[in-house]
Amino acid sequence: MSQPPQHLELTKVDIDFPTPNGPFKALQDINLTINKGEFVSLIGHSGCGKSTVLNIVAGLYQATNGGCLLDGKEVNAPGPERAVVFQNHSLLPWLTAYENVELAVKQVFGKSKSKAEMREWIEHNLSLVHMDHAMDKRPDEISGGMKQRVGIARALAMEPTVMLMDEPFGALDALTRAHLQDSLMEIQKDLNNTVIMITHDVDEAVLLSDRIVMMTNGPAATVGEILHIDLPRPRDRIALADDPQYNHYRHEVLTFLYEKQRTPDSGLSSKKKDEATLKVATGEHKPKAKGEDKAA
Ligand SMILES: Nc1ncnc2c1ncn2[C@@H]1O[C@H](COP(=O)(O)OP(=O)(O)OP(=O)(O)O)[C@@H](O)[C@H]1O
Ligand SMILES: [Mg+2]
């Protein structure tokens, strides 16, 4: 009897980018299988190829060798079942928050939902990210964190099977970031969609993920190690601050990044590396406090 297809499967993925000096092999032999509803983070030094992996799953890049299957179907173009959240909140500036979400909703549900149903659905998704109070504002009238929340609402409103998030909270202040991390955990628990998130933040990766995929440095980057985060959910950042298992996971990721993959051109300044090493050595690496949420 044949096996049922895996949910999301990257098999033997290589990618060569054309450059004036010949092909540049950014990724080599990426193999990764992701289960339905799983939260996977990609972590690795700047330039190693994280966004390239995400873009292949999004269907924006085509692998040179190997490929990506979603529920047994080959991915070779973008599709609404794979919504992408970019770091730089890519909202259309002339549309309100509501209209930005509406554009995506019309694309997916224009034929299956009535006007009233679409309005209710758009408002529901904006309220999931606590943006219902500002839905008639345009991007230039709201903060960076609010724009990011609209971007997440837009992605959620498409009811994607897979959410692809490229450093979604990278540009945000610590308080807004903590708030959105908590919201994302709640939403994902309710919807059980699969999430692949790129992050540079080790705390964020451990707090949110079921697995952390750690990538080696490029060129020809690949999956270095995979860490299973076996912490019960719901996860509370305050409670985890003193949790030995949490700190063990954190230490594993830092060791991978700053010892095993440490190179002179790893993309992090030596000051940052020293700070990270110092934090491990002193145990000063608490997750952000829950109370920080309120400022968002
Ligand atoms: N379209 C492209 N053409 C040529 N080279 C590319 C292209 N896209 C990415 N690269 C190269 O592939 C490598 C991986 O890039 P990628 O953007 O995936 O890195 P990243 O891990 O996301 O980095 P960061 O953390 O800085 O966002 C880099 O060396 C980059 O210069
Ligand atoms: Mg990137």
Side-chain angles (χ1 to χ4, degrees), residues 46-52 55 87 166-167 198 200:
S46 180
C48 73
K50 304 177 295 295
S51 296
T52 305
N55 282 326
Q87 175 174 358
D166 195 345
E167 297 185 53
I198 295 174
H200 281 114

Side-chain angles (χ1 to χ4, degrees), residues 72-238:
K73 273 177 59 185
E74 193 175 337
V75 169
N76 47 27
E81 77 286 358
R82 285 163 284 123
V84 188
V85 178
F86 295 103
Q87 175 174 358
N88 54 359
H89 30 255
S90 49
L91 303 180
L92 295 174
W94 58 89
L95 298 181
T96 64
Y98 179 93
E99 289 163 343
N100 265 284
V101 179
E102 184 183 38
L103 204 63
V105 168
K106 274 188 175 159
Q107 186 199 338
V108 181
F109 300 110
K111 293 206 174 85
S112 58
K113 283 192 197 289
S114 69
K115 270 193 169 169
E117 284 168 338
M118 279 199 275
R119 165 157 279 277
E120 199 183 321
W121 180 239
I122 295 161
E123 289 176 357
H124 168 70
N125 280 280
L126 283 163
S127 71
L128 280 180
V129 294
H130 308 293
M131 275 301 293
D132 37 337
H133 65 290
M135 62 186 177
D136 294 323
K137 292 193 189 296
R138 286 198 318 271
D140 63 353
E141 298 172 305
I142 57 180
S143 71
M146 291 162 89
K147 282 191 270 244
Q148 200 60 11
R149 282 190 265 165
V150 177
I152 293 170
R154 181 176 59 185
L156 288 170
M158 296 164 79
E159 277 200 325
T161 317
V162 183
M163 286 265 280
L164 302 168
M165 308 178 94
D166 195 345
E167 297 185 53
F169 313 133
L172 305 177
D173 66 277
L175 308 182
T176 308
R177 175 183 273 241
H179 173 75
L180 284 184
Q181 288 167 345
D182 287 343
S183 305
L184 179 60
M185 283 194 283
E186 274 174 39
I187 291 166
Q188 203 241 348
K189 177 180 66 113
D190 292 344
L191 303 182
N192 193 39
N193 46 12
T194 310
V195 180
I196 307 180
M197 183 185 73
I198 295 174
T199 181
H200 281 114
D201 181 332
V202 177
D203 281 307
E204 180 169 279
V206 178
L207 181 69
L208 299 182
S209 307
D210 297 308
R211 275 189 300 160
I212 301 177
V213 173
M214 295 179 270
M215 290 182 60
T216 62
N217 294 338
T222 194
V223 174
E225 294 178 21
I226 298 184
L227 186 66
H228 288 257
I229 307 296
D230 201 8
L231 295 169
R233 294 182 187 270
R235 296 178 184 167
D236 179 313
R237 65 187 68 236
I238 301 251

